[in-house]
Amino acid sequence: MAEPELVDVVVVGLGVGGEEVAGRLAEAGLSVVGVERDLVGGECPYWGCIPSKIMIRAANALAEARRVDGLAGTVQVQSDWAPVAKRIREEATDTWDDTVAVRRLTDRGARFVRGSGRLDGPGRVRVGDQVFQARHGIVLGTGTRPSVPPIEGLADSPYWTNHQAIEVEQLPESLLVLGGGAIGLELSQAFTRFGVRVTVVEALDRVLAIEEPEASEVAAAALRADGVEIHTGVRTERVEHDGSRFTLRGPGAAEFTADRLLVVTGRRAHLDELGLDTIGVDATQRYLPVDDRLQVTDGIWAVGDVTGEGAFTHIAMYQAAIVIADVLAHARKSDAGADPSGTASVVGGAMGAASSLGASGSSGSAGSVPRADYRALPRVTFTDPEIGAVGLTEQQARKRGINVQVGFTKLGSSTRGWIHRVGDEGFIKLIADADQGVLIGATSVGPAGGEVLSALVVAVHAAVPLSQLRHMIYAYPTFHRAIEDALRNLS
């Protein structure tokens, strides 16, 4: 057995959250080993947020050009996927090479190890033949992978996940999309705007089932207007592939065929690969349970998708700030115990730098570690129109027994919506706690739904009284002015 190498912190999994933790702790003076088996940076820069939004930006430009006919004359639009694929390959992903990302990490002072990290008892991580003993802690940021449903014939077929959909250089003529969540709808709309015949098959009774029903209706109508076929309430029973085409078979005579099949039915953490049993943590859970400082157990933190708080880059970065502050607080306390004068250095770095960063944390309050608070978690589905949401939906609030008030207004009834004319589909929906007099949830759907959401996130996060929101000045004529109309309609 290899002799353990003593370091301060080991970060297993270098997605956006893990990379930030490793880099910041190294900059603070700790000796940090970052472990990643795939690409440093994770899903977001290579197969998620960044390349998918490049696709969406290009597809939306085509759609906007086609709207000229309703506003300013006539145009002819011819789509070309080649520049989109080129930009994703050359500008966004370096052809799926993380050399730059690895250098970015090591330039911050961290040490990089390529491989699969696995817990090997308290404070230890094994990567192949190497074993690291972490003096101050271990951070797990191993993320999630596509969850493939146990449908007959699916596992043996050459289906796509989001990886193949993002990497595609030659578009198929037709595409089946299994799953009507955010990723499925975003990619479906982008591909159909480039001329692909797209069919979405969703087992639930509506697409975007986690959002407000009104948002599902707007999204489905927008995609159907683009030419996407949407079938909800259809549970796929079997997948067939004859060497060139896919066939999905559902109940009765339900049958759908296309050249390619994209499976986007959710993601799951693979906890069984982490050696959690060596530290007494149940590996059969869907996600790693953490407390409000992201601790799994003493000396072990988790960050990002693996915590189950939402597969969003902004969640991972938010959690990373908390983990950084908490690890540094632990390191400072440990070092102070070893040397009451407070002048001792941690292994590989100066404690003074760690103390300086740890004292403020992400909250900016001296000597405190911020606690995770997801009440105002924002999320955006980047379809056209965009669907932004924060906090509780109406159904969630009612299930909690809250005295709910709902305010609703269509975006088209606002002055900016009327001016926009073509492509102004959307609305503002507010969910208020009538007893507390504050917003606890909101949805913003429209051409800039994700941007308008920011005002609503502040209102929910800060529990701004409804009386103050009603007496704010809303710029005219803007989309966000529709918030004022929705407040007026609270009942």
Side-chain angles (χ1 to χ4, degrees):
M1 180 179 292
E3 186 70 22
E5 179 182 345
L6 183 63
V7 297
D8 289 332
V9 177
V10 180
V11 181
V12 181
L14 298 174
V16 290
E19 182 187 349
E20 177 69 0
V21 170
R24 286 278 300 279
L25 291 180
E27 287 176 335
L30 299 177
S31 62
V32 179
V33 172
V35 182
E36 175 57 59
R37 69 179 180 185
D38 296 318
L39 298 181
V40 173
E43 284 284 310
C44 178
Y46 298 103
W47 299 286
C49 323
I50 304 304
S52 69
K53 302 316 172 277
I54 288 175
M55 294 167 57
I56 290 166
R57 165 65 178 138
N60 288 357
L62 291 173
E64 194 65 11
R66 290 163 181 150
R67 288 168 178 156
V68 167
D69 287 0
L71 294 170
T74 59
V75 297
Q76 288 186 327
V77 181
Q78 183 174 344
S79 65
D80 182 1
W81 182 252
V84 183
K86 185 175 187 292
R87 187 181 180 200
I88 290 172
R89 185 173 60 254
E90 296 182 3
E91 296 181 30
T93 68
D94 287 339
T95 315
W96 295 275
D97 184 297
D98 65 351
T99 300
V100 172
V102 171
R103 187 183 308 121
R104 180 175 64 226
L105 179 68
T106 56
D107 283 350
R108 299 173 80 177
R111 174 179 165 191
F112 175 64
V113 175
R114 180 84 69 188
S116 296
R118 182 179 176 87
L119 297 172
D120 193 37
R124 288 198 306 276
V125 173
R126 177 177 293 276
V127 188
D129 294 331
Q130 295 176 283
V131 180
F132 299 97
Q133 181 72 46
R135 181 177 178 223
H136 293 307
I138 296 167
V139 182
L140 303 174
T142 49
T144 57
R145 297 206 292 274
S147 177
V148 181
I151 297 172
E152 181 185 348
L154 178 58
D156 297 326
S157 72
Y159 64 87
W160 282 358
T161 66
N162 62 304
H163 283 214
Q164 290 75 34
I166 293 296
E167 294 172 7
V168 66
E169 294 190 41
Q170 186 70 40
L171 293 180
E173 290 188 7
S174 57
L175 175 70
L176 284 169
V177 178
L178 187 59
I183 297 173
L185 295 195
E186 288 177 358
L187 294 177
S188 293
Q189 189 175 50
F191 282 133
T192 200
R193 287 178 167 181
F194 275 90
V196 180
R197 296 192 306 277
V198 179
T199 302
V200 175
V201 180
E202 169 57 55
L204 299 178
D205 61 359
R206 61 186 176 97
V207 296
L208 291 183
I210 68 168
E211 304 297 355
E212 297 282 10
E214 297 93 335
S216 298
E217 292 173 9
V218 171
L223 266 70
R224 285 179 172 129
D226 280 333
V228 177
E229 280 190 35
I230 297 178
H231 300 272
T232 57
V234 177
R235 188 168 296 278
T236 302
E237 298 178 344
R238 189 166 74 256
V239 172
E240 298 172 359
H241 185 256
D242 64 5
S244 60
R245 289 179 66 79
F246 285 87
T247 300
L248 296 188
R249 300 193 186 278
E255 179 180 308
F256 312 97
T257 63
D259 296 327
R260 293 289 181 182
L261 169 63
L262 170 61
V263 179
V264 278
T265 50
R267 301 179 67 86
R268 64 181 294 268
H270 290 259
L271 303 185
D272 56 317
E273 302 174 355
L274 296 180
L276 293 169
D277 57 306
T278 68
I279 59 168
V281 174
D282 182 9
T284 65
Q285 302 169 90
R286 184 171 176 82
Y287 297 104
L288 268 179
V290 294
D291 64 15
D292 58 5
R293 287 179 295 168
L294 286 307
Q295 289 191 26
V296 180
T297 187
D298 188 40
I300 306 282
W301 289 261
V303 64
D305 296 4
V306 74
T307 67
E309 294 294 347
F312 304 112
T313 294
H314 48 277
I315 284 289
M317 294 298 287
Y318 171 76
Q319 292 176 331
I322 296 172
V323 171
I324 291 162
D326 204 32
V327 170
L328 289 174
H330 276 252
R332 187 171 62 252
K333 189 181 301 181
S334 172
D335 190 75
D339 179 4
S341 70
T343 59
S345 295
V346 297
V347 176
M351 194 63 243
S355 297
S356 174
L357 184 56
S360 61
S362 64
S363 67
S365 54
S368 68
V369 173
R371 304 298 177 112
D373 177 1
Y374 304 107
R375 290 175 302 113
L377 166 59
R379 56 193 182 274
V380 181
T381 300
F382 290 89
T383 48
D384 177 17
E386 288 181 357
I387 298 170
V390 61
L392 300 177
T393 63
E394 179 182 355
Q395 182 183 36
Q396 289 171 333
R398 294 193 186 282
K399 281 186 175 180
R400 295 189 184 189
I402 296 171
N403 182 12
V404 173
Q405 285 182 302
V406 177
F408 185 91
T409 187
K410 288 188 176 182
L411 203 63
S413 65
S414 69
T415 302
R416 179 61 181 275
W418 180 84
I419 292 169
H420 202 74
R421 189 174 180 179
V422 182
D424 69 345
E425 296 84 2
F427 62 85
I428 301 288
K429 182 174 182 178
L430 307 179
I431 309 300
D433 182 329
D435 297 333
Q436 300 297 319
V438 295
L439 292 182
I440 54 175
T443 297
S444 167
V445 179
E451 309 304 326
V452 172
L453 183 69
S454 60
L456 297 169
V457 173
V458 171
V460 173
H461 179 79
V464 179
L466 293 174
S467 58
Q468 289 191 21
L469 293 175
R470 288 189 175 103
H471 288 89
M472 282 177 54
I473 300 173
Y474 296 84
Y476 179 91
T478 61
F479 287 122
H480 88 258
R481 190 173 169 86
I483 295 172
E484 187 176 38
D485 294 334
L487 285 164
R488 193 178 297 116
N489 294 336
L490 273 173
S491 62

